[in-house]
């Protein structure tokens, strides 16, 4: 799951995100020449250190994707294809046998083995370790023994449905058939961990999370000190067996302001910016030519309601009225210069399962909104929380003005520097205002827009920041999961989607587009479906 930044709740999607104040500005000469100069990419500040199974926002995920390699990647048709995996086989969608390629090694030189996956997944699934992606393993047989509940101690530290068969093969037995399991395996929650990650008590150490040892294209140069370091520096791992990057050094530069990053990109002080601020779109289109990237994006931007932390929004009519009062068309066309599209479903149009116009409460109807709001005795003052970087300031203010004008209410903006401030309070179920959120998919499936964000199980260990819980919704998800085929499962996922469209624990506002840019010092920049740079295609230009 990724809260998105552009938070990967879209942390970051994201999952939408974070950063330190204007770092990097003016600190470079703008000269990217020379073999020692890194390729430099702008990111926001990661929410946490680099624990793979505790990273659920897009900033940290971007860094981890350069350090680790997934079992599968996704082709142009959004289908999983083996990457680290040599083969992934099943006869019944319940017992899965995964064989890894023999060529991979860890950055410390040790061979990647099947037990590294078993160890990492057991660690992530154990409630004692409080990992944010814990619930992704709930379908594995034996998960319940590692998660007996609050106040209880697990009876084991190993899932019975997970075991290494030999050095290169491991087997996963699920509680029930799950047709989406293969598709899931490209997500960072399923990265392996080396022996060096664990201390004598079987815990992943903070030292490892600061300087993770991976088996991917790049290795991190030195420990990352969160809150202090303004760059994360990496060097190509020579032992990587597949497509190697065409440059030696990679640097992630942390920015609080998308506008500051855009200025630095224009000055040649960074090379890649994955999401431009709305104010830069027109100039980027005119100035950059083919160095401006405009492509479809599988992310969704939301407004959420704190259904656990507050009873103010308990009446679904209030949530529906707020949704009807928002002029999505004007916001996407004016604030975002047409680089967003009004959202009308909880499933993104890029994925099978999307239905145009499914969200009737997403239709702009100010008169109907005010009438419904008054009938429900909606609150006279609304609080709306968001970070105001990364282009969020303009659209959040536009939403606030819609609500003031159309509902006749006072809207107080809770403006924070870093979105992680709100994320942390949401995770603790202590945030009582409406909040900006978003979702960047972990893997290309309609199910991934539903389970991680809205299922009951995701309240404690997922991205269900609203705290929505509906037994019928959970039951439909379970039916979709155990369906014999992807097509049959999709019918149940759409029925679950219908319940969200009725209850509106969050309000879909817009579908993202990827509006990225890169400098004259690089070429071949490609950004994949997970909003991560494909480093194997990037080249430096002298």
């Amino acid at each position: 799951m990724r809260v998105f930044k552009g938070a990967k709740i879209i942390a970051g999607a994201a999952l939408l995100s974070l950063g330190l104040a204007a770092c990097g500005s003016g600190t470079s000469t703008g000269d990217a020449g020379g073999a020692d100069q890194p390729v430099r990419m702008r990111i926001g500040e990661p929410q946490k250190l680099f624990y793979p199974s505790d990273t659920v926002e897009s900033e940290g995920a971007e860094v981890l994707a350069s350090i680790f390699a997934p079992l599968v990647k996704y082709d142009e048709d959004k289908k999983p294809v083996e990457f680290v995996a040599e083969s992934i086989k099943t006869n019944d969608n319940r017992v899965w046998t995964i064989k890894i390629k023999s060529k991979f090694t860890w950055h410390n030189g040790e061979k990647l083995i099947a037990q590294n996956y078993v160890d990492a997944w057991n660690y992530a699934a154990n409630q004692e370790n409080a990992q944010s992606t814990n619930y992704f393993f709930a379908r594995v047989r034996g998960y319940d023994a590692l998660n007996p509940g609050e106040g209880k101690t697990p009876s084991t530290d190993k899932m019975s449905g997970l075991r290494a068969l030999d050095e290169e093969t491991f087997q996963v037995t699920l509680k029930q058939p799950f047709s989406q399991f293969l598709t899931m395996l490209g997500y960072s929650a399923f990265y392996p961990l080396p022996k060096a990650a664990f201390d004598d008590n079987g815990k992943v150490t903070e030292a490892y999370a600061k300087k993770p040892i991976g088996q991917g294209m790049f290795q991190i140069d030195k420990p990352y000190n969160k809150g202090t370091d303004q760059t994360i520096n990496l060097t190509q791992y020579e032992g990587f067996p597949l497509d190697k990057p065409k440059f030696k050094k990679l640097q992630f530069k942390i920015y609080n302001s998308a506008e500051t990053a855009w200025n630095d990109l224009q000055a040649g002080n960074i090379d890649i910016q994955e999401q431009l601020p709305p104010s830069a779109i027109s100039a980027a289109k005119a100035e950059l030519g083919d160095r401006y990237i405009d492509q479809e994006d599988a992310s969704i931007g939301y407004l959420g309601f704190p259904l656990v932390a507050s009873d103010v929004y308990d009446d679904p009519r209030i949530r529906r009225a707020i949704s009807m009062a928002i002029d999505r068309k004007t916001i996407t066309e004016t604030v975002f210069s047409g680089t967003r599209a009004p959202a009308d479903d909880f499933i993104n149009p890029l994925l099978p399962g999307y239905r145009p116009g499914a969200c009737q409460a997403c239709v702009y109807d100010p008169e109907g909104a005010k009438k419904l709001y008054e009938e429900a005795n909606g609150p006279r003052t609304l609080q709306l929380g968001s970070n105001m970087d990364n282009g969020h300031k303009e659209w959040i203010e536009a939403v606030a003005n819609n609500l003031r004008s159309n509902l006749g209410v006072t809207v107080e903006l809770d403006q924070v520097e870093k979105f992680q401030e709100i994320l942390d309070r949401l995770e603790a179920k202590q945030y009582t205002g409406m909040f900006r959120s978003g979702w960047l998919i972990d893997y290309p499936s309609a199910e991934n827009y539903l389970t991680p964000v809205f299922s009951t199980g995701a309240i404690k260990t997922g991205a269900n920041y609203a705290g929505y819980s509906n037994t019928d919704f959970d039951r439909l998800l379970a039916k979709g999961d155990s369906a014999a085929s992807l097509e049959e499962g999709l019918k149940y996922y759409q029925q679950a989607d219908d319940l969200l469209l009725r209850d509106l624990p969050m309000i879909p506002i817009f579908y993202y587009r990827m509006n990225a840019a890169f400098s004259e010092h690089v070429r071949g920049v490609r950004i994949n479906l997970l909003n991560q740079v494909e480093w194997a295609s990037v080249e430096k230009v002298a």
Side-chain angles (χ1 to χ4, degrees):
M1 101 200 97
R2 282 188 289 155
V3 180
F4 188 59
K5 57 182 173 292
K8 131 174 329 124
I9 286 177
I10 280 171
L15 102 198
L16 306 162
S17 251
L18 322 174
L20 293 178
C23 47
S25 300
T27 59
S28 169
T29 63
D31 179 10
D36 293 334
Q37 275 283 3
V39 171
R40 301 153 300 176
M41 179 178 176
R42 177 266 179 190
I43 63 169
E45 184 186 32
Q47 183 189 11
K48 302 178 181 180
L49 293 176
F50 301 123
Y51 299 90
S53 56
D54 204 29
T55 297
V56 296
E57 43 75 40
S58 51
E59 313 295 340
E62 183 76 59
V63 177
L64 286 173
S66 68
I67 297 172
F68 288 84
L71 285 166
V72 302
K73 300 190 87 169
Y74 305 103
D75 62 19
E76 295 299 322
D77 295 322
K78 309 175 186 66
K79 302 295 184 183
V81 292
E82 289 84 357
F83 193 64
V84 174
E86 179 72 36
S87 63
I88 303 175
K89 298 179 179 179
T90 184
N91 293 322
D92 58 4
N93 287 336
R94 182 171 175 266
V95 179
W96 299 78
T97 302
I98 302 171
K99 182 178 179 60
I100 59 174
K101 294 172 181 173
S102 60
K103 301 176 182 178
F104 280 87
T105 58
W106 293 102
H107 295 159
N108 62 5
E110 293 181 0
K111 178 180 172 62
L112 174 69
I113 59 174
Q115 189 65 41
N116 297 144
Y117 288 90
V118 173
D119 292 342
W121 295 10
N122 278 326
Y123 181 82
N126 192 327
Q127 71 174 31
E128 297 288 289
N129 301 321
Q131 298 297 283
S132 298
T133 62
N134 169 287
Y135 76 95
F136 274 96
F137 301 91
R139 297 181 177 91
V140 179
R141 191 182 67 191
Y143 170 87
D144 294 343
L146 274 66
N147 295 269
E150 189 173 350
K152 299 179 181 179
T153 302
S155 59
T156 179
D157 60 359
K158 298 177 177 60
M159 290 183 286
S160 59
L162 180 63
R163 62 191 180 103
L165 302 181
D166 56 43
E167 193 172 70
E168 296 173 0
T169 312
F170 63 105
Q171 189 175 79
V172 187
T173 301
L174 307 181
K175 300 173 188 175
Q176 303 291 335
F178 180 43
S179 61
Q180 311 289 313
F181 184 69
L182 172 60
T183 305
M184 289 177 68
L185 295 178
Y187 180 40
S188 57
F190 298 96
Y191 289 156
L193 287 172
K195 294 178 182 178
F198 300 94
D199 63 17
D200 293 341
N201 296 315
K203 302 295 185 182
V204 176
T205 66
E206 181 177 296
Y208 177 82
K210 288 184 173 182
K211 190 176 186 288
I213 297 167
Q215 29 69 291
M217 289 184 177
F218 292 92
Q219 54 189 346
I220 192 167
D221 292 347
K222 65 183 183 67
Y224 165 63
N225 296 299
K226 177 176 160 55
T228 301
D229 291 348
Q230 299 179 349
T231 62
I232 302 166
N233 299 297
L234 305 100
T235 300
Q236 182 187 144
Y237 176 52
E238 295 292 345
F240 188 70
L242 300 179
D243 293 338
K244 296 182 186 295
K246 302 175 181 66
F247 58 96
K248 296 296 183 183
K249 296 283 188 177
L250 174 63
Q251 182 183 81
F252 294 103
K253 299 185 71 173
I254 297 172
Y255 287 79
N256 180 59
S257 167
E259 287 77 10
T260 301
W262 164 241
N263 291 336
D264 269 9
L265 187 136
Q266 290 178 297
N269 294 333
I270 59 171
D271 299 308
I272 300 171
Q273 184 170 1
E274 86 299 346
Q275 193 69 49
L276 299 179
S279 59
I281 299 298
S282 296
K285 288 180 178 179
E287 297 173 13
L288 300 185
D290 60 8
R291 292 191 290 112
Y292 170 66
I293 299 173
D294 179 15
Q295 65 187 41
E296 292 180 308
D297 191 311
S299 307
I300 303 178
Y302 303 111
L303 290 184
F305 299 98
L307 303 181
V308 171
S310 172
D311 60 3
V312 170
Y313 307 98
D314 281 356
D315 190 332
R317 293 178 298 172
I318 294 174
R319 307 195 292 268
R320 177 175 291 270
I322 290 173
S323 179
M324 293 162 59
I326 298 172
D327 187 356
R328 293 164 174 79
K329 186 173 187 293
T330 297
I331 289 173
T332 55
E333 291 180 354
T334 303
V335 176
F336 288 112
S337 302
T339 60
R340 304 287 187 273
D344 54 1
D345 195 0
F346 281 94
I347 299 171
N348 186 285
L350 282 180
L351 276 293
Y354 163 74
R355 294 165 294 171
C359 179
Q360 296 180 4
C362 294
V363 176
Y364 183 48
D365 181 4
E367 292 183 4
K370 187 169 185 178
K371 179 181 178 182
L372 185 61
Y373 197 77
E374 291 175 349
E375 289 176 357
N377 194 27
R380 306 322 302 170
T381 299
L382 299 173
Q383 184 185 51
L384 175 54
S386 176
N387 53 317
M388 293 297 175
D389 64 326
N390 295 316
H392 296 304
K393 181 177 186 293
E394 294 86 351
W395 80 266
I396 287 295
E397 289 181 342
V399 167
N401 287 333
N402 281 166
L403 300 181
R404 292 182 186 116
S405 298
N406 297 328
L407 300 181
V409 298
T410 298
V411 180
E412 298 175 349
L413 293 181
D414 179 15
Q415 304 182 26
V416 299
E417 181 181 4
K418 304 175 184 180
F419 190 57
Q420 72 182 72
E421 297 175 32
I422 293 179
L423 278 181
D424 291 343
R425 291 166 65 189
L426 285 169
E427 287 180 350
K429 302 301 180 281
Q430 296 173 348
Y431 196 78
T432 58
M434 294 189 299
F435 55 93
R436 177 200 68 77
S437 186
W439 187 250
L440 167 60
I441 60 169
D442 307 310
Y443 48 89
S445 167
E447 178 270 337
N448 190 238
Y449 291 101
L450 307 176
T451 306
V453 192
F454 301 107
S455 68
T456 301
I459 293 176
K460 287 188 176 181
T461 59
N464 188 348
Y465 295 118
Y468 177 70
S469 181
N470 183 316
T471 55
D472 289 334
F473 177 81
D474 295 336
R475 176 180 54 80
L476 287 167
L477 290 181
K479 285 189 173 183
D481 291 352
S482 60
S485 67
L486 297 176
E487 294 74 20
E488 182 183 343
L490 197 57
K491 297 177 183 177
Y492 292 110
Y493 295 140
Q494 287 177 327
Q495 291 176 38
D497 182 34
D498 287 337
L499 295 182
L500 293 182
L501 294 167
R502 181 196 70 188
D503 295 344
L504 292 180
M506 289 193 185
I507 299 171
I509 304 297
F510 52 76
Y511 301 123
Y512 281 79
R513 288 190 67 84
M514 174 58 64
N515 304 114
F518 55 95
S519 76
E520 296 176 337
H521 303 305
V522 294
R523 64 188 174 198
V525 177
R526 294 179 56 243
I527 300 175
N528 63 29
L529 186 69
L530 304 184
N531 283 13
Q532 295 168 352
V533 175
E534 292 284 356
W535 294 114
S537 70
V538 176
E539 298 181 59
K540 287 185 64 177
V541 178

